[in-house]
């Protein structure tokens, strides 16, 4: 096969797995839209995340936020470093808290298939002696099914994601958007398309950690499938029994 | 069984039940006329108001507190019988718990499950009462029954809960609404390093006092209707109650918003739990209940205390 043909094949493969993200530099609270193409009816796994540094005061750290969980399948992982423990609380009618002990200064919570809805969350705990900040990494994974023509889309609510880099990976592609960059910087900032070799950004990146935002933040993708909706967990309805059950599973495990 | 299910089970089942056979059952909670077993102990939990309705009876259990025993701890209490039993001999039995025995309150508990031989003889005094003390046993849920020695009539029964040991709670006597409460739970020392589930629930004393448990039954298990109520919320379960996540969810929805739950899985002997409160919480006394459960060993301990939200 001639080199030209090889190039075309590779280009087509690249096109088939690429996705675009807009806007490149959203303001906090602005929605990010991901649009891409894959094989018809293919399920595309997408992984997004951010880091932030929580200040340590009196040996303790604390963070409060609100998150919106997209439809299943999903997985959320929160990792805190420089800590002795991590207390994660979810408010669903009442506060339900679960404590995780750290191993080697790292505490991790990971849960799949969290029921969709909007949650109030609190994280708190004791930092390791001498630690001034607690780096926290939040990763959200979900899957989007492409339609019959191979197109898929995903909307991410950034209203609570702290200012800084927000990475998105999927299907061999990786992009980083910068949230909350001032208008002047926005002009120069550009969305990076770094290819799959940069996917380690979500695994161990330590550059540009965001500062912890003020209370009332939301940090997760939503409405990933075109015909899916996100339920409102604040209502006490029978439909929410599944939601509550899922939250209980999230907190208590199976 | 998981801890949370166990706690709900306790709420549902730690209702002392009077059993009667060929003995008239009072239509009220008059201690002087009824046949009751009152257990004694240092570690007690507050009982919800428990009522029982059947074609033969309609009464409310009169005791507010229910003791939690540790393994091999003496189980003591009093049988409070009607005056017409004065001077009679009776026997106190301890049997393995059976939901059928509990709900079939007019039948003699299955003697095949009796764990204390022929029973402890007691002499009823001039008011029909007697004190008793039974040797403790391994952890588990039991039924204490008092029978008339003459005709084996069951005079009264009550469940008894024996945990593996006693747990200790350490927490500030008060917490500001909106602050986080740190609760330290200490379990008895033990060999091995197995993981246990530590859990705690905090609910206002005012709301806790409104908890009610009702059991209504005709002749069959299928006719049983269990009512669990808290404040203005209530739910009913038709038939034999099945312990399920769905039931737990329903009960969870009944909890007032100024409640909190915390838990942790740990192999440690001492564990800190953190309960979140909100600034909107009503000030006053709250009931704090904690339990430790081991998948291998069962209930390690259960303890209750009070805290002031200021």
């Amino acid at each position: 096969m001639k080199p030209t043909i090889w190039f075309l094949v590779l280009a087509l493969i690249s096109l088939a797995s690429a996705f675009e993200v807009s806007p490149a530099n959203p303001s906090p609270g602005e929605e990010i839209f991901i649009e891409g193409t894959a094989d018809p009816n293919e399920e595309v796994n997408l992984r997004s995340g951010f880091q932030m540094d929580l200040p340590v005061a009196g040996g303790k750290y604390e963070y409060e936020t609100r998150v919106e969980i997209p439809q299943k399948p999903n997985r959320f992982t929160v990792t805190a470093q420089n800590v002795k423990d991590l207390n994660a609380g979810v408010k669903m009618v009442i506060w339900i808290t679960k404590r995780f002990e750290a191993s080697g200064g790292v505490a991790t919570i990971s849960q799949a298939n969290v029921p969709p809805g909007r949650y109030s969350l609190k994280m708190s705990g004791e930092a390791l002696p001498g630690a001034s900040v607690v780096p926290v990494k939040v990763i959200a994974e979900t899957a989007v099914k492409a339609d019959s023509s191979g197109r898929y889309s995903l909307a991410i609510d950034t209203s609570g994601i702290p200012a800084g880099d927000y990475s998105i990976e999927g299907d061999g592609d990786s992009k980083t958007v910068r949230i909350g960059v001032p208008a002047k910087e926005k002009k120069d900032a550009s969305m990076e398309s770094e290819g799959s070799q940069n996917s380690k950004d979500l695994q161990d990146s330590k550059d540009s950690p965001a500062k912890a935002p003020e209370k009332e933040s939301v940090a997760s993708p939503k409405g990933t499938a075109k015909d899916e909706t996100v339920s409102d967990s604040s209502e006490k309805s029978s439909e929410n029994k599944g939601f509550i059950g899922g939250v209980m599973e999230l907190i208590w495990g199976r | 069984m998981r801890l949370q299910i166990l706690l709900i089970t306790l709420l549902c089942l730690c209702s002392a039940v009077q059993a009667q056979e060929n003995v008239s059952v009072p239509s009220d909670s008059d201690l002087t006329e009824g046949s009751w077993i009152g257990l004694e102990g240092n570690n007690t939990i507050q009982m919800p108001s428990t009522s029982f309705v059947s074609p033969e009876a309609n009464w409310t259990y009169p005791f507010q507190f229910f003791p939690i025993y540790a393994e091999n701890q003496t189980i003591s209490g009093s049988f409070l019988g009607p005056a017409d039993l004065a001077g009679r001999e009776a026997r106190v039995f301890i049997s393995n718990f059976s939901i059928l025995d509990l709900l079939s309150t007019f039948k003699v508990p299955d003697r095949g499950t009796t764990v204390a031989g022929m029973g402890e003889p007691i002499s009823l005094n001039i008011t029909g009462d007697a004190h008793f003390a039974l040797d403790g046993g391994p952890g588990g849920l039991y039924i204490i029954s008092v029978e008339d020695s003459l005709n084996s009539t069951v005079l009264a029964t009550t469940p008894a809960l024996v945990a593996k040991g006693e747990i200790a709670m350490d927490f500030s006597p008060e917490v500001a609404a909106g602050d986080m409460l740190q609760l330290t739970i200490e379990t008895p020392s033990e060999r091995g390093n197995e993981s246990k589930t530590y859990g705690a629930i905090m609910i206002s004393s005012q709301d806790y006092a409104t908890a009610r448990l009702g059991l209504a039954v005709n002749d069959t298990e299928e006719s049983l209707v269990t009512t669990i109520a808290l404040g203005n919320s209530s739910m009913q379960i038709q038939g034999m109650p099945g312990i399920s996540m769905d039931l737990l969810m329903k009960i969870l929805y009944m909890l007032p918003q100024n409640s909190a739950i915390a838990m942790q899985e740990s192999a440690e002997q001492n564990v800190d739990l953190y309960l979140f409160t909100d600034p909107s919480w009503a000030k006053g006394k709250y009931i704090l209940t904690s339990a430790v459960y081991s998948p291998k060993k069962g209930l390690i301990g259960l303890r209750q205390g009070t805290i002031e939200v200021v």
Side-chain angles (χ1 to χ4, degrees), chain A residues 85 87 89 91-99 101 122 124 236 240-241 244-245 248 252-254, chain B residues 2 4 180 246 248-249 252-253 255-257 259-266 268 272 274 276-278:
Chain A
D85 61 8
N87 300 295
K91 186 169 186 183
M92 31 152 299
V93 185
I94 66 171
W95 280 107
I96 300 174
T97 315
K98 188 169 184 180
R99 179 174 177 265
E101 292 169 342
K122 282 184 184 178
S124 65
K236 279 188 172 186
N240 274 341
K241 277 195 301 182
I244 297 296
M248 303 301 278
W252 288 342
R254 291 177 186 278
Chain B
R2 301 188 62 81
Q4 60 270 25
M180 184 174 64
D246 186 55
L248 181 68
M249 296 307 109
L252 185 70
Y253 261 132
L255 294 175
Q257 290 199 18
S259 308
I261 292 173
M263 67 176 304
Q264 183 190 351
E265 286 159 19
S266 176
E268 300 293 325
D272 289 332
Y274 296 89
F276 292 141
T277 70
D278 280 332

Side-chain angles (χ1 to χ4, degrees), chain B residues 169-171 181-185 200 271-273 275 288 290:
Chain B
M169 292 196 298
D170 185 27
F171 55 95
L181 172 67
Q182 179 177 346
L183 166 67
T184 303
I185 301 176
V271 159
D272 289 332
L273 295 181
L275 294 114
L288 186 59
S290 63

Side-chain angles (χ1 to χ4, degrees), chain B residues 149-200:
Chain B
S149 295
L150 284 179
N151 51 20
S152 296
T153 299
V154 177
L155 302 173
T157 66
T158 185
L161 181 60
V162 179
K164 298 298 289 184
E166 287 194 6
I167 60 172
M169 292 196 298
D170 185 27
F171 55 95
S172 167
E174 60 181 39
V175 61
D179 282 358
M180 184 174 64
L181 172 67
Q182 179 177 346
L183 166 67
T184 303
I185 301 176
E186 183 180 356
T187 57
S189 59
E190 60 177 16
R191 290 179 183 176
N193 193 30
E194 68 179 38
S195 181
K196 298 177 284 291
T197 303
Y198 293 73

Side-chain angles (χ1 to χ4, degrees), chain B residues 6-258:
Chain B
L6 178 69
L7 289 174
I8 299 306
T9 308
L10 289 173
L11 178 68
C12 297
L13 300 182
C14 286
S15 53
V17 173
Q18 176 194 37
Q20 297 285 325
E21 188 174 53
N22 303 322
V23 173
S24 63
V25 180
S27 60
D28 54 28
S29 303
D30 187 347
L31 280 173
T32 61
E33 296 300 324
S35 290
W36 311 99
I37 296 173
L39 296 178
E40 302 165 350
N42 296 324
N43 178 24
T44 60
I45 60 170
Q46 192 172 324
M47 282 285 295
S49 169
T50 304
S51 63
F52 184 91
V53 178
S54 74
E56 299 87 2
N58 182 354
W59 51 268
T60 299
Y61 190 76
F63 301 112
Q64 279 190 309
F65 294 95
F66 187 77
I68 309 298
Y69 297 100
E71 274 190 341
N72 301 318
Q73 184 181 352
T74 299
I75 298 174
S76 60
S78 295
F79 169 67
L80 307 172
D84 58 5
L85 291 179
R88 297 267 280 271
E89 291 291 325
R91 286 185 175 274
V92 185
F93 292 89
I94 179 168
S95 312
N96 290 325
F97 178 83
S98 156
I99 186 73
L100 290 175
D101 287 345
L102 180 68
L103 297 174
S104 302
T105 53
F106 295 92
K107 294 179 182 174
V108 176
D110 182 3
R111 279 287 159 261
T113 61
T114 299
V115 294
M118 297 302 294
E120 188 76 17
I122 53 173
S123 298
L124 306 184
N125 63 17
I126 57 171
T127 59
D129 304 338
H131 187 268
F132 63 85
L134 302 172
D135 291 338
L141 192 54
Y142 299 93
I143 291 182
I144 308 292
S145 55
V146 175
E147 292 182 16
D148 190 330
S149 295
L150 284 179
N151 51 20
S152 296
T153 299
V154 177
L155 302 173
T157 66
T158 185
L161 181 60
V162 179
K164 298 298 289 184
E166 287 194 6
I167 60 172
M169 292 196 298
D170 185 27
F171 55 95
S172 167
E174 60 181 39
V175 61
D179 282 358
M180 184 174 64
L181 172 67
Q182 179 177 346
L183 166 67
T184 303
I185 301 176
E186 183 180 356
T187 57
S189 59
E190 60 177 16
R191 290 179 183 176
N193 193 30
E194 68 179 38
S195 181
K196 298 177 284 291
T197 303
Y198 293 73
I201 181 169
M202 184 176 171
I203 183 170
S204 83
S205 182
Q206 201 171 358
D207 290 319
Y208 198 94
T210 67
R212 301 182 307 279
L213 178 66
L215 299 172
V217 67
N218 284 323
D219 297 326
T220 63
E221 290 177 359
E222 291 72 26
S223 68
L224 172 71
V225 177
T226 303
T227 303
I228 301 171
L230 189 66
N232 294 323
S233 302
S234 67
M235 58 171 290
Q236 286 194 330
I237 306 164
Q238 181 73 46
M240 293 288 284
I243 307 299
S244 66
M245 184 63 81
D246 186 55
L247 172 62
L248 181 68
M249 296 307 109
K250 287 177 179 172
I251 293 175
L252 185 70
Y253 261 132
M254 291 169 57
L255 294 175
Q257 290 199 18
N258 53 332

Side-chain angles (χ1 to χ4, degrees), chain A:
Chain A
M1 194 179 292
K2 291 181 179 180
T4 310
I5 298 174
W6 271 115
F7 174 78
L8 284 172
V9 170
L10 289 172
L12 286 171
I13 290 172
S14 175
L15 278 174
S17 62
F19 61 83
E20 297 298 327
V21 183
S22 62
N25 304 113
S27 301
E30 197 174 352
E31 279 198 328
I32 297 173
F33 294 97
I34 299 171
E35 292 183 311
T37 53
D39 289 336
N41 302 315
E42 180 187 355
E43 191 171 81
V44 179
N45 294 314
L46 292 167
R47 193 166 186 253
S48 60
F50 62 91
Q51 288 193 342
M52 58 185 173
D53 284 345
L54 301 181
V56 175
K60 296 182 182 300
Y61 67 97
E62 191 175 7
Y63 178 57
E64 185 172 351
T65 187
R66 281 179 67 82
V67 294
E68 187 159 329
I69 305 297
Q71 89 290 333
K72 299 177 185 178
N74 59 45
R75 173 175 286 279
F76 286 81
T77 305
V78 178
T79 304
Q81 298 176 56
N82 299 343
V83 299
K84 286 183 177 176
D85 61 8
L86 170 61
N87 300 295
V90 177
K91 186 169 186 183
M92 31 152 299
V93 185
I94 66 171
W95 280 107
I96 300 174
T97 315
K98 188 169 184 180
R99 179 174 177 265
F100 300 83
E101 292 169 342
S103 175
V106 178
T108 301
I109 304 170
S110 185
Q111 179 65 42
N113 291 324
V114 181
R118 187 172 284 270
Y119 300 75
S120 289
L121 288 178
K122 282 184 184 178
M123 287 193 299
S124 65
E126 197 170 345
L128 287 179
S132 58
V133 294
V134 169
V136 173
K137 185 162 57 182
V138 179
I139 294 174
E141 298 168 75
T142 191
V144 187
K145 190 171 183 182
D147 61 20
S148 56
S149 62
R151 296 177 62 82
Y152 65 87
S153 65
L154 173 72
I156 299 175
D157 185 342
T158 71
S159 55
I161 297 174
D165 287 349
Y166 187 79
S167 302
I168 303 158
E169 296 174 10
D171 213 12
D173 201 359
S174 174
K175 298 182 190 301
T176 301
V177 295
R178 194 152 292 168
I179 298 172
V181 177
K184 188 180 176 184
E185 291 179 37
K186 263 190 176 182
K187 197 174 179 182
D188 301 326
S190 61
M191 187 171 57
E192 303 165 36
S193 181
E194 302 164 68
S196 57
Q197 73 271 23
N198 287 336
S199 62
K200 70 188 183 76
D201 278 353
L202 286 182
Q203 295 160 14
D204 57 5
S205 74
K206 289 177 180 165
D207 52 333
S208 305
K211 286 185 178 177
E214 298 297 321
K215 290 182 177 180
E216 287 299 307
S217 56
V218 180
S220 47
K222 71 170 186 178
T224 48
K226 289 177 180 175
D227 56 350
E228 296 277 358
T229 56
V230 177
S231 66
D232 180 3
S233 64
S234 62
E235 295 177 6
K236 279 188 172 186
S237 65
S238 57
E239 289 79 10
N240 274 341
K241 277 195 301 182
F243 164 81
I244 297 296
V247 175
M248 303 301 278
E249 288 170 5
L250 163 67
I251 292 296
W252 288 342
R254 291 177 186 278

